[in-house]
Amino acid sequence: MKRLLQPFQARLSRTVALGVLFSIVTIEAVILIPSYWRRERELIDYMQRISTAKVVTLARWSQAAPEFQDPVRLAQRLANQTDDPISLWKGLAFYDRSGRLVATVGEQPELTITAVAAGRREQLSRDQQRLDLAWPPDARRNYTLVVRHDMNPVYAELRAFIFRILGLVVLISVFATGVTMVVLSRVAIVPILQMRDDLRRAADLISREDTSGEMLYACQVDRPDELGEVITAFRHMYNRIHQEILERRRAERESESLLLNILPPAIAERLKRGEHPIAERFEQATVLFADLVDFTGLAAHITPGELVQQLNHIFSTFDALADTYGLEKIKTIGDAYMVVGGVPDPHPDCVTAVAEMALAMQRAIVAYQPAADSTQHPFSIRIGIHTGPVVGGVIGIRKFIYDLWGDTVNTASRMESHGMPGQIQVTEAVYQTLRDRFQFERRGEIAIKGKGTMTTYWLLDRLATNGPMNGAAANPAAHPPIASGLSGNRQPS
């Protein structure tokens, strides 16, 4: 039942059906009006022929009965007649050749002798219920006869004619409209509704990467008509949009991965929301600077490719250590490496985490040394650490980078640059924070550029009673080798 009513429920189908119905009714109306007039003329002509036959009969009667040749006597005869053989006659009038009214019977006709003399032979009454017909004198009649006829039988026949035509129009309209809706439903409406459902499903499908389990109507139909061309165009559009969305999402994921590789996740989210520039003050942060000693001189003994490869392996290991201890890598400048704890996300003990990473960096460099028969100088690293307030943020409009500013950053950099190869130099603030958990050696007072005289310490190791923060830090072999796969380099034991 629902399927049968589907053509009538579709708005397009109803619109087309109403258009067809209106067209049929209009055509039938255009045909009916002249048909009505033609039928009315036919009935009047028929009435005229019947009346003419009666008039001829009267004329013969008057010739056969000389006593009725006088119009007056003939009119009187008709006036005394109780049975009219033709009931359409409602009255008549006799005029002699001079146009004088001789006698009338029944209703007085409105058609006058003057109009008859002018050539008029019929006239419809003002109320449209009577028709006057005239017969002028001829060889059989020496008088003019005007007869009034009843039009009600004619109108009754016209009404029956109109009802028959209207019934036929209704049948044709219902049949044509029904056939149109059924054919239109099968040919166009159902495919269009299925295409509509395809569009709705496509909005959900293009958001998925795997659509193998979904089949659209447009993917299963191949029609040779214009609607088939629309379905083909939709199929091509869907495939193209879906492919472009997948490519765009892959590009977005790559961009997201690249952005997160450059910036901390929280900072990247703020930039994507349009927040720029970004600057925040952090009251407690620990900054570490590390520099490979005489790495520039190494460039004179190896190829540029080998130089960059070794530097990449070393810094990749440092990146893994930063992830292990929950620290944030800030940047690398040449052979220098900068990392911070407590920025941009708070760290419960950023000083300890940075100290642990510094010791792990030392162990990693010790494990990464040239082979005994190599002419390459052994690697050594200088590390400097300071803790205190910093300002972190992103500035500029190109090549975004998350950076730190403040005296804490400058002091940590001075700890590294004024340090010694293979040593970790820290400030008094770091020493006071970690002296109960780590082993230090007082270096003493030294002159620091831009800072004056400062008391610094060497960070040597954690105290035996102080367990490692992370099991990976306690065992250097738990970390991936710095130069795994490089010939001429020893693997960590």
Side-chain angles (χ1 to χ4, degrees), residues 337-415:
Y337 190 90
M338 179 182 179
V339 70
V340 65
V343 177
D345 298 321
H347 194 289
D349 192 356
C350 62
V351 184
T352 302
V354 171
E356 292 278 6
M357 178 171 175
L359 294 172
M361 291 168 72
Q362 272 190 336
R363 290 191 295 269
I365 289 296
V366 169
Y368 180 67
Q369 295 299 338
D373 58 349
S374 175
T375 58
Q376 181 177 325
H377 295 288
F379 286 103
S380 182
I381 190 171
R382 279 194 313 267
I383 300 176
I385 304 175
H386 182 49
T387 185
V390 298
V391 174
V394 178
I395 59 176
I397 58 175
R398 296 179 58 196
K399 297 182 179 180
F400 291 138
I401 184 173
Y402 186 73
D403 210 348
L404 301 179
W405 301 275
D407 183 68
T408 299
V409 178
N410 296 332
T411 302
S413 178
R414 295 291 186 267
M415 290 297 100

Coordinates of all heavy atoms in Angstrom, one line a residue, residues 337-415:
Y337 N 72.0 21.8 22.2 CA 70.7 21.2 22.5 C 70.1 21.8 23.7 O 70.8 22.0 24.7 CB 70.9 19.7 22.7 CG 69.6 18.9 22.8 CD1 69.1 18.3 21.6 CD2 69.0 18.7 24.0 CE1 67.9 17.6 21.7 CE2 67.8 17.9 24.0 CZ 67.3 17.4 22.9 OH 66.1 16.7 22.9
M338 N 68.9 22.2 23.6 CA 68.2 22.9 24.7 C 66.9 22.2 25.1 O 66.1 21.8 24.2 CB 67.9 24.4 24.3 CG 67.1 25.2 25.4 SD 66.7 26.8 24.8 CE 65.9 27.5 26.2
V339 N 66.7 21.9 26.4 CA 65.5 21.3 26.9 C 65.1 22.0 28.2 O 65.9 22.6 28.9 CB 65.8 19.8 27.1 CG1 66.8 19.6 28.3 CG2 64.5 19.0 27.3
V340 N 63.8 21.9 28.5 CA 63.3 22.5 29.7 C 62.3 21.6 30.4 O 61.6 20.8 29.8 CB 62.6 23.9 29.3 CG1 61.4 23.7 28.5 CG2 62.2 24.7 30.6
G341 N 62.2 21.7 31.7 CA 61.2 21.0 32.5 C 60.3 22.0 33.2 O 60.7 23.1 33.6
G342 N 59.0 21.6 33.2 CA 58.0 22.5 33.9 C 57.4 23.5 32.9 O 56.5 24.3 33.3
V343 N 57.7 23.4 31.6 CA 57.1 24.3 30.6 C 56.8 23.5 29.3 O 57.7 22.6 28.9 CB 58.2 25.4 30.2 CG1 57.7 26.3 29.1 CG2 58.5 26.2 31.4
P344 N 55.7 23.7 28.7 CA 54.6 24.6 29.1 C 53.6 23.9 30.1 O 52.7 24.6 30.6 CB 53.9 24.9 27.8 CG 54.1 23.6 27.0 CD 55.4 23.1 27.4
D345 N 53.8 22.6 30.3 CA 53.0 21.9 31.3 C 53.7 21.7 32.6 O 54.9 21.4 32.6 CB 52.6 20.5 30.7 CG 51.8 20.6 29.5 OD1 50.9 21.5 29.3 OD2 52.1 19.8 28.5
P346 N 53.0 21.9 33.7 CA 53.7 21.8 35.0 C 54.3 20.4 35.2 O 53.7 19.4 34.8 CB 52.6 22.1 36.0 CG 51.6 22.9 35.2 CD 51.6 22.3 33.9
H347 N 55.4 20.4 35.9 CA 56.1 19.1 36.2 C 56.2 19.0 37.7 O 56.7 20.0 38.3 CB 57.5 19.0 35.5 CG 58.1 17.7 35.5 ND1 58.6 17.1 36.6 CD2 58.3 16.8 34.5 CE1 59.0 15.9 36.3 NE2 58.9 15.7 35.0
P348 N 55.9 17.9 38.3 CA 56.0 17.8 39.8 C 57.3 18.1 40.4 O 57.5 18.6 41.5 CB 55.4 16.4 40.1 CG 55.7 15.6 38.8 CD 55.5 16.6 37.7
D349 N 58.4 17.7 39.6 CA 59.7 17.9 40.1 C 60.7 18.1 38.9 O 61.4 17.2 38.6 CB 60.2 16.7 41.0 CG 61.5 17.0 41.7 OD1 62.1 18.1 41.5 OD2 61.9 16.1 42.5
C350 N 60.5 19.2 38.3 CA 61.3 19.4 37.0 C 62.8 19.5 37.3 O 63.5 19.1 36.4 CB 60.8 20.7 36.4 SG 61.0 22.2 37.3
V351 N 63.3 19.9 38.4 CA 64.7 20.0 38.7 C 65.3 18.6 38.7 O 66.3 18.3 38.0 CB 65.0 20.7 40.0 CG1 66.5 20.9 40.2 CG2 64.3 22.1 40.0
T352 N 64.7 17.7 39.4 CA 65.1 16.3 39.4 C 65.1 15.7 38.1 O 66.0 15.0 37.7 CB 64.3 15.5 40.4 OG1 64.3 16.1 41.7 CG2 64.8 14.1 40.5
A353 N 64.0 15.9 37.3 CA 63.9 15.3 36.0 C 65.0 15.8 35.0 O 65.6 15.0 34.3 CB 62.5 15.6 35.4
V354 N 65.3 17.1 35.1 CA 66.4 17.6 34.2 C 67.7 17.0 34.7 O 68.6 16.7 33.8 CB 66.4 19.1 34.3 CG1 67.6 19.7 33.5 CG2 65.1 19.7 33.6
A355 N 68.0 16.9 36.0 CA 69.2 16.3 36.4 C 69.4 14.9 36.0 O 70.5 14.4 35.6 CB 69.3 16.4 38.0
E356 N 68.3 14.1 36.1 CA 68.3 12.7 35.6 C 68.7 12.7 34.1 O 69.5 11.8 33.7 CB 67.0 12.1 35.9 CG 66.7 11.8 37.4 CD 67.4 10.6 37.9 OE1 68.2 10.0 37.2 OE2 67.1 10.3 39.1
M357 N 68.1 13.5 33.4 CA 68.3 13.5 31.9 C 69.8 13.9 31.6 O 70.4 13.3 30.7 CB 67.4 14.5 31.2 CG 67.6 14.5 29.7 SD 66.4 15.5 28.8 CE 67.1 15.4 27.1
A358 N 70.3 14.9 32.4 CA 71.7 15.3 32.2 C 72.6 14.1 32.4 O 73.6 13.8 31.6 CB 72.1 16.4 33.1
L359 N 72.4 13.3 33.5 CA 73.3 12.2 33.7 C 73.1 11.1 32.6 O 74.1 10.5 32.2 CB 72.9 11.6 35.1 CG 73.2 12.5 36.3 CD1 72.7 11.9 37.6 CD2 74.8 12.7 36.4
A360 N 71.8 10.9 32.2 CA 71.6 10.0 31.1 C 72.2 10.4 29.8 O 72.8 9.5 29.0 CB 70.1 9.8 30.9
M361 N 72.3 11.7 29.5 CA 73.0 12.2 28.3 C 74.5 11.9 28.4 O 75.1 11.5 27.4 CB 72.7 13.7 28.2 CG 71.3 14.0 27.8 SD 70.9 15.8 28.0 CE 71.8 16.5 26.6
Q362 N 75.0 12.1 29.6 CA 76.4 11.8 29.8 C 76.7 10.3 29.5 O 77.7 9.9 28.8 CB 76.9 12.1 31.2 CG 77.3 13.5 31.4 CD 78.0 13.7 32.7 OE1 77.7 13.0 33.7 NE2 78.9 14.7 32.8
R363 N 75.9 9.4 30.0 CA 76.1 8.0 29.8 C 75.9 7.6 28.4 O 76.7 6.8 27.8 CB 75.1 7.2 30.7 CG 75.4 7.2 32.2 CD 74.5 6.2 32.9 NE 73.1 6.5 32.8 CZ 72.4 7.2 33.7 NH1 73.1 7.8 34.7 NH2 71.1 7.4 33.6
A364 N 75.0 8.3 27.7 CA 74.8 8.0 26.3 C 76.0 8.4 25.4 O 76.4 7.7 24.5 CB 73.5 8.7 25.8
I365 N 76.6 9.5 25.7 CA 77.8 10.0 25.0 C 78.9 9.1 25.3 O 79.7 8.8 24.4 CB 78.1 11.4 25.4 CG1 77.0 12.4 24.8 CG2 79.5 11.8 24.9 CD1 77.0 12.4 23.3
V366 N 79.1 8.6 26.5 CA 80.2 7.7 26.8 C 80.0 6.4 26.0 O 81.0 5.8 25.6 CB 80.2 7.4 28.4 CG1 81.1 6.2 28.7 CG2 80.6 8.7 29.1
A367 N 78.8 5.9 25.9 CA 78.5 4.7 25.1 C 78.8 4.9 23.6 O 79.1 3.9 22.9 CB 77.1 4.2 25.4
Y368 N 78.7 6.1 23.2 CA 78.9 6.4 21.7 C 80.3 7.0 21.5 O 80.5 8.2 21.6 CB 77.8 7.4 21.3 CG 77.9 7.8 19.8 CD1 77.6 6.8 18.9 CD2 78.2 9.0 19.4 CE1 77.7 7.1 17.5 CE2 78.3 9.3 18.1 CZ 78.0 8.4 17.1 OH 78.0 8.7 15.8
Q369 N 81.2 6.1 21.3 CA 82.6 6.5 21.1 C 83.2 5.8 19.9 O 82.7 4.7 19.5 CB 83.4 6.2 22.3 CG 83.1 7.0 23.6 CD 83.2 8.5 23.5 OE1 83.9 8.9 22.6 NE2 82.5 9.2 24.3
P370 N 84.1 6.4 19.2 CA 84.7 5.8 18.0 C 85.4 4.5 18.4 O 85.8 4.2 19.6 CB 85.8 6.8 17.6 CG 85.3 8.1 18.2 CD 84.7 7.7 19.5
A371 N 85.6 3.6 17.4 CA 86.3 2.4 17.6 C 87.8 2.6 17.9 O 88.3 3.7 17.7 CB 86.2 1.5 16.4
A372 N 88.4 1.6 18.5 CA 89.8 1.8 18.9 C 90.7 2.2 17.8 O 91.7 2.9 18.0 CB 90.3 0.5 19.6
D373 N 90.5 1.6 16.6 CA 91.4 1.9 15.5 C 91.0 3.1 14.7 O 91.5 3.4 13.6 CB 91.4 0.7 14.6 CG 90.0 0.3 14.1 OD1 89.0 0.9 14.6 OD2 89.9 -0.6 13.2
S374 N 90.0 3.9 15.2 CA 89.5 5.1 14.4 C 90.4 6.3 14.8 O 90.8 6.4 15.9 CB 88.0 5.3 14.8 OG 87.6 6.5 14.2
T375 N 90.5 7.1 13.8 CA 91.3 8.4 14.0 C 90.4 9.5 14.5 O 90.9 10.6 14.8 CB 91.9 8.9 12.7 OG1 90.8 9.0 11.7 CG2 92.9 7.8 12.1
Q376 N 89.1 9.2 14.7 CA 88.2 10.2 15.2 C 88.4 10.5 16.7 O 88.6 9.5 17.4 CB 86.8 9.8 14.9 CG 85.7 10.8 15.3 CD 84.3 10.3 15.0 OE1 84.1 9.7 13.9 NE2 83.4 10.6 15.8
H377 N 88.3 11.7 17.1 CA 88.5 12.1 18.5 C 87.3 11.6 19.3 O 86.1 11.6 18.8 CB 88.6 13.6 18.7 CG 89.9 14.1 18.0 ND1 91.1 13.9 18.6 CD2 90.1 14.9 16.9 CE1 92.1 14.5 17.8 NE2 91.4 15.1 16.8
P378 N 87.4 11.2 20.5 CA 86.3 10.8 21.3 C 85.3 11.9 21.5 O 85.7 13.1 21.5 CB 86.9 10.4 22.7 CG 88.4 10.1 22.4 CD 88.7 11.1 21.2
F379 N 84.0 11.6 21.6 CA 83.0 12.6 21.9 C 83.0 13.0 23.3 O 83.2 12.2 24.2 CB 81.6 12.0 21.5 CG 81.4 12.0 20.0 CD1 81.5 10.7 19.3 CD2 81.2 13.1 19.2 CE1 81.4 10.6 18.0 CE2 81.0 13.0 17.8 CZ 81.1 11.8 17.2
S380 N 82.7 14.3 23.6 CA 82.5 14.8 24.9 C 81.4 15.9 24.9 O 81.1 16.5 23.8 CB 83.8 15.4 25.4 OG 83.7 15.9 26.7
I381 N 80.8 16.1 26.0 CA 79.6 17.0 26.1 C 79.7 17.9 27.3 O 80.2 17.5 28.3 CB 78.3 16.2 26.1 CG1 77.1 17.1 25.9 CG2 78.1 15.4 27.3 CD1 75.8 16.4 25.7
R382 N 79.4 19.1 27.1 CA 79.2 20.1 28.2 C 77.8 20.3 28.5 O 77.0 20.5 27.5 CB 79.9 21.4 27.9 CG 81.4 21.5 28.0 CD 81.9 23.0 28.0 NE 81.3 23.7 26.9 CZ 81.9 23.8 25.7 NH1 83.0 23.2 25.5 NH2 81.3 24.5 24.8
I383 N 77.4 20.3 29.8 CA 76.0 20.6 30.1 C 75.9 21.6 31.2 O 76.7 21.6 32.1 CB 75.3 19.2 30.6 CG1 75.4 18.2 29.5 CG2 73.9 19.5 31.0 CD1 74.8 16.8 29.9
G384 N 74.9 22.5 31.1 CA 74.7 23.5 32.1 C 73.2 23.5 32.5 O 72.3 23.4 31.6
I385 N 72.9 23.7 33.8 CA 71.5 23.7 34.3 C 71.3 24.8 35.2 O 72.2 25.1 36.0 CB 71.2 22.3 35.0 CG1 71.5 21.1 34.1 CG2 69.8 22.3 35.5 CD1 71.4 19.8 34.8
H386 N 70.1 25.4 35.1 CA 69.7 26.5 36.1 C 68.2 26.4 36.2 O 67.5 26.0 35.3 CB 70.1 27.9 35.6 CG 69.8 28.9 36.6 ND1 70.0 28.8 38.0 CD2 69.1 30.1 36.4 CE1 69.6 29.9 38.6 NE2 69.0 30.7 37.7
T387 N 67.7 26.7 37.4 CA 66.3 26.7 37.6 C 65.8 28.1 38.1 O 66.5 28.8 38.8 CB 65.9 25.6 38.6 OG1 64.5 25.5 38.8 CG2 66.5 25.9 40.0
G388 N 64.5 28.4 37.7 CA 64.0 29.7 38.1 C 62.8 30.1 37.1 O 62.4 29.3 36.3
P389 N 62.3 31.3 37.2 CA 61.2 31.7 36.4 C 61.7 32.0 34.9 O 62.8 32.5 34.7 CB 60.7 33.0 37.0 CG 62.0 33.6 37.7 CD 62.8 32.4 38.2
V390 N 60.8 31.7 34.0 CA 61.0 32.0 32.6 C 59.7 32.5 31.9 O 58.7 32.3 32.5 CB 61.5 30.7 31.8 CG1 62.8 30.2 32.4 CG2 60.5 29.6 31.8
V391 N 59.9 33.0 30.7 CA 58.8 33.4 29.9 C 58.8 32.5 28.6 O 59.9 32.5 28.0 CB 58.8 34.9 29.5 CG1 57.7 35.2 28.5 CG2 58.7 35.8 30.8
G392 N 57.8 31.9 28.3 CA 57.7 31.0 27.2 C 56.6 31.4 26.2 O 55.6 31.9 26.7
G393 N 56.8 31.3 24.9 CA 55.8 31.6 24.0 C 56.2 31.5 22.6 O 57.3 31.0 22.2
V394 N 55.4 32.0 21.7 CA 55.6 32.0 20.2 C 55.4 33.4 19.7 O 54.4 34.0 20.0 CB 54.6 31.0 19.5 CG1 54.8 31.0 18.0 CG2 54.8 29.6 20.1
I395 N 56.3 33.9 18.9 CA 56.3 35.2 18.4 C 56.6 35.1 16.9 O 57.0 34.1 16.4 CB 57.2 36.2 19.1 CG1 58.7 35.7 19.0 CG2 56.8 36.4 20.5 CD1 59.7 36.7 19.5
G396 N 56.3 36.3 16.2 CA 56.6 36.3 14.7 C 55.4 35.8 13.9 O 54.4 35.3 14.5
I397 N 55.6 35.8 12.6 CA 54.5 35.4 11.7 C 54.9 34.3 10.8 O 54.1 33.7 10.0 CB 54.0 36.6 10.9 CG1 55.1 37.2 10.0 CG2 53.3 37.6 11.7 CD1 54.6 38.3 9.1
R398 N 56.2 33.9 10.8 CA 56.7 32.8 10.0 C 57.6 31.9 10.8 O 58.3 32.4 11.7 CB 57.5 33.4 8.8 CG 56.6 34.3 7.8 CD 57.5 34.8 6.7 NE 58.1 33.7 5.9 CZ 59.2 33.8 5.1 NH1 59.7 35.0 5.0 NH2 59.7 32.8 4.5
K399 N 57.7 30.7 10.3 CA 58.5 29.7 11.0 C 58.4 29.7 12.5 O 59.3 30.0 13.2 CB 60.0 29.9 10.5 CG 60.2 29.7 9.0 CD 61.7 29.9 8.6 CE 61.8 29.7 7.1 NZ 63.2 29.9 6.7
F400 N 57.2 29.4 12.9 CA 56.9 29.4 14.4 C 57.9 28.5 15.1 O 58.2 27.4 14.7 CB 55.5 29.0 14.7 CG 54.5 30.0 14.2 CD1 53.3 29.6 13.6 CD2 54.7 31.4 14.4 CE1 52.4 30.5 13.1 CE2 53.7 32.3 14.0 CZ 52.6 31.9 13.4
I401 N 58.3 28.9 16.3 CA 59.1 28.1 17.2 C 58.7 28.5 18.6 O 58.5 29.7 18.9 CB 60.6 28.2 16.9 CG1 61.3 27.2 17.8 CG2 61.1 29.6 17.1 CD1 62.8 27.1 17.5
Y402 N 58.6 27.5 19.5 CA 58.3 27.8 20.9 C 59.7 28.1 21.6 O 60.6 27.2 21.5 CB 57.6 26.6 21.6 CG 57.2 26.9 23.0 CD1 56.1 27.8 23.2 CD2 57.9 26.3 24.1 CE1 55.7 28.0 24.5 CE2 57.5 26.6 25.4 CZ 56.4 27.5 25.6 OH 56.0 27.7 26.9
D403 N 59.8 29.2 22.2 CA 61.1 29.6 22.7 C 60.9 30.1 24.1 O 59.8 30.4 24.6 CB 61.7 30.7 21.9 CG 63.2 30.7 21.9 OD1 63.8 30.0 22.8 OD2 63.9 31.3 21.1
L404 N 62.1 30.3 24.9 CA 62.1 30.7 26.2 C 62.9 32.0 26.3 O 63.9 32.2 25.6 CB 62.6 29.7 27.2 CG 61.9 28.3 27.2 CD1 62.7 27.4 28.1 CD2 60.5 28.5 27.6
W405 N 62.5 32.9 27.3 CA 63.3 34.1 27.5 C 63.4 34.3 29.0 O 62.6 33.8 29.8 CB 62.6 35.3 26.9 CG 62.4 35.2 25.4 CD1 63.3 35.5 24.4 CD2 61.2 34.7 24.7 NE1 62.7 35.3 23.2 CE2 61.4 34.8 23.3 CE3 60.0 34.2 25.2 CZ2 60.5 34.4 22.4 CZ3 59.0 33.9 24.2 CH2 59.3 33.9 22.9
G406 N 64.4 35.0 29.4 CA 64.5 35.4 30.8 C 65.9 35.1 31.3 O 66.8 34.5 30.7
D407 N 66.2 35.6 32.5 CA 67.5 35.4 33.1 C 67.8 34.0 33.4 O 69.0 33.6 33.3 CB 67.6 36.2 34.4 CG 68.9 36.2 35.1 OD1 69.9 36.7 34.5 OD2 69.0 35.5 36.1
T408 N 66.8 33.2 33.7 CA 67.1 31.8 33.9 C 67.7 31.1 32.7 O 68.6 30.3 32.8 CB 65.8 31.1 34.3 OG1 65.3 31.6 35.5 CG2 66.0 29.6 34.5
V409 N 67.2 31.5 31.5 CA 67.7 30.9 30.2 C 69.1 31.3 30.0 O 70.0 30.5 29.7 CB 66.8 31.3 29.1 CG1 67.4 30.8 27.7 CG2 65.4 30.8 29.2
N410 N 69.4 32.6 30.2 CA 70.7 33.1 30.0 C 71.7 32.5 31.0 O 72.8 32.1 30.6 CB 70.8 34.7 30.2 CG 69.9 35.4 29.2 OD1 69.8 34.8 28.0 ND2 69.4 36.5 29.5
T411 N 71.3 32.3 32.2 CA 72.2 31.7 33.2 C 72.5 30.3 32.9 O 73.6 29.8 33.0 CB 71.6 31.8 34.6 OG1 71.3 33.2 34.9 CG2 72.5 31.2 35.7
A412 N 71.5 29.5 32.5 CA 71.7 28.1 32.1 C 72.7 28.0 30.9 O 73.5 27.1 30.9 CB 70.4 27.4 31.7
S413 N 72.5 29.0 30.0 CA 73.4 29.0 28.8 C 74.9 29.3 29.3 O 75.8 28.7 28.8 CB 73.0 30.0 27.8 OG 73.9 30.1 26.7
R414 N 75.0 30.2 30.2 CA 76.4 30.5 30.8 C 76.9 29.3 31.5 O 78.1 29.0 31.5 CB 76.3 31.7 31.7 CG 75.9 33.0 31.0 CD 77.0 33.5 30.1 NE 76.6 34.8 29.6 CZ 76.0 35.0 28.4 NH1 75.6 34.0 27.7 NH2 75.7 36.2 28.0
M415 N 76.1 28.5 32.2 CA 76.6 27.3 32.9 C 77.2 26.3 31.9 O 78.2 25.7 32.2 CB 75.5 26.6 33.7 CG 75.0 27.4 34.9 SD 76.2 27.6 36.2 CE 76.7 29.3 35.9

